[in-house]
Amino acid sequence: MGPSKDTESREGDALPLPPGQRIQRGWPVTHYGPVPRFKPDRWEFRVFGTTADGDKHTWRHEEFCALPYATVVADLHCVTKYSVLGAEWGGVPARTILELAPPAPGVTHVMVWAEYGFSSNLRLADFAADTTIFATHKDDEMLTAEHGFPVRLVVPHLYAWKGPKWVRGVEYMTADRRGFWEERGYHNLGDPWREQRYSYQENPGEGPEL
Ligand SMILES: Nc1nc2c(c(=O)[nH]1)N[C@H]1C(S)=C(S)[C@@H](COP(=O)(O)O)O[C@H]1N2
Ligand SMILES: [Mo]
């Protein structure tokens, strides 16, 4: 029997789950604060900070939706210990954004910004990973408002808080800076396979001073 994205057979085959996680059926909604209302004429996706050309790059909603579409099959690991397995995320790979709006050579980290000032910081390498994707769809359906419509980030190899819902932009940075949850007690790197849940677990060099 080959691998399957079906959760039943996955449970049976006991394929790896990050330590301390349990399989969640369905798809719960988890976030801080209210669900933002999408305003199409005011929405833009903005890349700013230390870009290669020094300019900011923006896409209106219909422009963003016209960017090359790709899919990534990935699990979602919430730091509160549930994992949603085998989702197919569709949208614009982070790599595509890096190609269309390249960072300057000195950029080491990005801050991904969402509605209401929510943010999460990532190392450039994590952002540039093949599987990091700005998802507009899950399992061929458009995201619902509570799951991040119109765009959410998915970083499959990190805890799910590293993937903001309702993304509005990316800031290129030449030094690391903590995002919303990273300032509030969560690990700066957030690798579920290393169980990097909380900032008190950080080793020297894994995050900026708190
Ligand atoms: N804007 C925003 N995005 C967010 C969060 C948040 O609080 N605000 N929470 C994160 C966390 S902790 C998780 S587990 C996932 C949950 O995504 P879901 O509600 O679609 O399952 O969204 C992430 N993205
Ligand atoms: Mo989470």
Side-chain angles (χ1 to χ4, degrees):
M1 271 209 306
S4 165
K5 76 172 218 183
D6 179 275
T7 52
E8 293 293 336
S9 70
R10 179 140 181 187
E11 273 178 303
D13 297 347
L15 284 168
L17 199 62
Q21 295 296 110
R22 61 178 169 75
I23 294 170
Q24 172 72 52
R25 290 173 187 282
W27 191 15
V29 172
T30 305
H31 59 265
Y32 174 81
V35 174
R37 181 192 296 271
F38 174 57
K39 302 182 192 79
D41 32 301
R42 288 214 236 140
W43 192 93
E44 62 173 20
F45 186 99
R46 190 156 68 105
V47 176
F48 62 106
T50 314
T51 56
D53 61 8
D55 291 337
K56 70 175 180 149
H57 298 245
T58 61
W59 290 267
R60 296 162 45 77
H61 186 238
E62 60 268 31
E63 293 170 333
F64 190 86
C65 292
L67 293 175
Y69 187 87
T71 60
V72 170
V73 175
D75 303 337
L76 183 151
H77 307 296
C78 177
V79 70
T80 64
K81 301 199 168 179
Y82 71 81
S83 293
V84 174
L85 303 185
E88 185 192 78
W89 303 98
V92 181
R95 278 274 178 86
T96 301
I97 298 299
L98 286 166
E99 284 163 20
L100 295 174
V107 170
T108 56
H109 293 79
V110 307
M111 189 72 79
V112 179
W113 289 98
E115 301 285 356
Y116 299 136
F118 183 86
S119 61
S120 185
N121 58 314
L122 295 165
R123 295 180 292 196
L124 183 59
D126 290 320
F127 184 70
D130 291 334
T131 49
T132 300
I133 186 165
F134 288 101
T136 54
H137 290 71
K138 177 179 172 282
D139 298 321
D140 292 325
E141 288 184 28
M142 206 159 44
L143 292 175
T144 57
E146 61 270 30
H147 285 300
F149 178 82
V151 182
R152 74 178 297 162
L153 185 66
V154 175
V155 189
H157 63 287
L158 299 179
Y159 283 118
W161 89 76
K162 290 286 191 182
K165 303 193 277 192
W166 315 296
V167 175
R168 291 293 300 275
V170 179
E171 178 184 358
Y172 292 152
M173 309 193 294
T174 55
D176 200 4
R177 214 166 75 219
R178 289 175 190 272
F180 183 88
W181 288 120
E182 294 82 3
E183 266 184 342
R184 289 168 175 77
Y186 290 90
H187 198 287
N188 190 56
L189 301 179
D191 180 347
W193 301 96
R194 295 184 178 163
E195 244 190 309
Q196 294 174 332
R197 296 179 190 274
Y198 309 112
S199 51
Y200 66 73
Q201 299 171 304
E202 288 172 17
N203 294 312
E206 289 182 338
E209 289 295 303
L210 266 165

